[in-house]
């Protein structure tokens, strides 16, 4: 085992000092990439995949996989934080900034719901999808996004707990009010800021 890392009392590895300020309160460092899915894993073929922006927008938009591939992609190095307390530090996805998708549709509401193939949903203020804070990603560490992690495409909103990053994403619905999604209806926090430990309803 590497000299910077030793076993902590909690049974989780201690964080190397240079990474400690990247670990939100109550989280531990996970070097693998756990899979957390409620229910079955949808099988979404890129030939059938579309991404939509709908709801309260000036113009509803829809991209096929091929059209989506023409949009500007960027690498997204980031840290991800799951409400079940693992964090994965320094991992890289590749995808299209949500700004590009929203700009095309002219959003008129202040909230959004991400919706997925398979029925998962998660809500957030639309601002949290803007200004380079969110992406629709199709690659992880230079490989196509594995199906169990949401491939062919998932949302990535790394500044919020990872349940706010819908796998197998099918689109965004723009709304004028905040409407709880799958986990938010079942006790998870409306907003989910890992730095404020907003895990559950009363946090
Ligand atoms: N469609 C869908 N997206 C989802 C989930 C899910 O069950 N279905 N789980 C969420 C939760 S709780 C977490 S922690 C992350 C897990 O992503 P991973 O399996 O790639 O680690 O996906 C989020 N997005
Ligand atoms: Mo989660």
């Amino acid at each position: 085992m590497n000299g910077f890392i030793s076993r902590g009392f909690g049974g989780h590895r201690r964080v190397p000092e240079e990474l400690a300020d990247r670990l939100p309160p109550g989280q531990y460092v996970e070097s693998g990439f756990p899979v957390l899915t409620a229910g079955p894993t949808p099988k979404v073929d890129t030939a059938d995949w579309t991404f939509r922006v709908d709801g309260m927008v000036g113009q509803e938009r829809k991209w096929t996989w091929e059209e989506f591939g023409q949009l500007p992609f960027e690498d997204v190095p980031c840290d991800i934080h799951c409400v079940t307390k693992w964090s994965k530090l320094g991992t890289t996805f590749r995808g299209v900034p949500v700004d590009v998708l929203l700009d095309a549709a002219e959003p008129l509401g202040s909230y959004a719901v991400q919706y997925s193939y398979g029925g998962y949903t998660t809500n957030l203020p639309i601002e949290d999808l803007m200004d380079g804070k969110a992406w629709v990603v199709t690659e992880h560490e230079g490989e196509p996004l594995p199906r169990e992690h949401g491939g062919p495409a998932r949302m990535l909103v790394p500044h919020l707990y990872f349940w706010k990053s819908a796998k197998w994403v099918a689109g965004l619905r723009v709304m004028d009010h905040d409407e709880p999604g799958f986990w938010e209806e079942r006790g998870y926090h409306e907003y989910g800021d890992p730095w404020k430990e907003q895990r559950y309803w009363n946090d």
Side-chain angles (χ1 to χ4, degrees), residues 5 11 49-50 55 63 72-73 85 88 102 114 119 121 123 125 130 151 154 174 181 194 197 202:
I5 294 171
W49 183 89
T50 59
W63 293 266
F73 279 66
K85 301 200 165 177
K88 185 171 179 57
L102 287 177
Q114 307 168 22
T121 55
N123 59 299
M130 293 175 155
R154 77 176 296 158
V174 178
E197 282 209 80
N202 294 320

Side-chain angles (χ1 to χ4, degrees), residues 19-46:
L19 295 180
D21 61 352
R22 282 166 53 182
L23 194 64
Q27 297 292 110
Y28 67 88
V29 173
E30 166 65 58
S31 55
F33 192 0
V35 172
L36 280 99
T37 303
T41 299
K43 188 161 184 359
V44 183
D45 199 319
T46 54

Side-chain angles (χ1 to χ4, degrees), residues 33-40 42 80-84 86 88 93 114-122 145-150 154-155 161-169 182-183 188:
F33 192 0
V35 172
L36 280 99
T37 303
I80 53 186
H81 312 293
C82 176
V83 72
T84 63
W86 58 267
K88 185 171 179 57
F93 293 86
Q114 307 168 22
Y115 57 90
S116 294
Y117 293 97
Y120 186 84
T121 55
T122 187
L145 185 67
R147 186 177 157 218
E148 65 273 21
H149 289 297
R154 77 176 296 158
M155 200 65 92
Y161 281 125
F162 210 30
W163 90 79
K164 296 283 186 182
S165 295
K167 303 196 279 188
W168 312 289
V169 70
F182 179 86
W183 281 119
Y188 283 19

Side-chain angles (χ1 to χ4, degrees), residues 5 50 79 99 110 119 156:
I5 294 171
T50 59
D79 300 335
D99 295 285
S110 301
L156 177 68

Side-chain angles (χ1 to χ4, degrees), residues 164-202:
K164 296 283 186 182
S165 295
K167 303 196 279 188
W168 312 289
V169 70
L172 287 173
R173 184 151 305 133
V174 178
M175 321 230 299
D176 62 359
H177 63 282
D178 207 7
E179 192 169 287
F182 179 86
W183 281 119
E184 293 83 5
E185 278 184 336
R186 290 165 176 79
Y188 283 19
H189 197 275
E190 276 299 299
Y191 184 66
D193 181 344
W195 296 97
K196 296 182 177 161
E197 282 209 80
Q198 294 173 337
R199 298 175 192 274
Y200 307 109
W201 284 345
N202 294 320

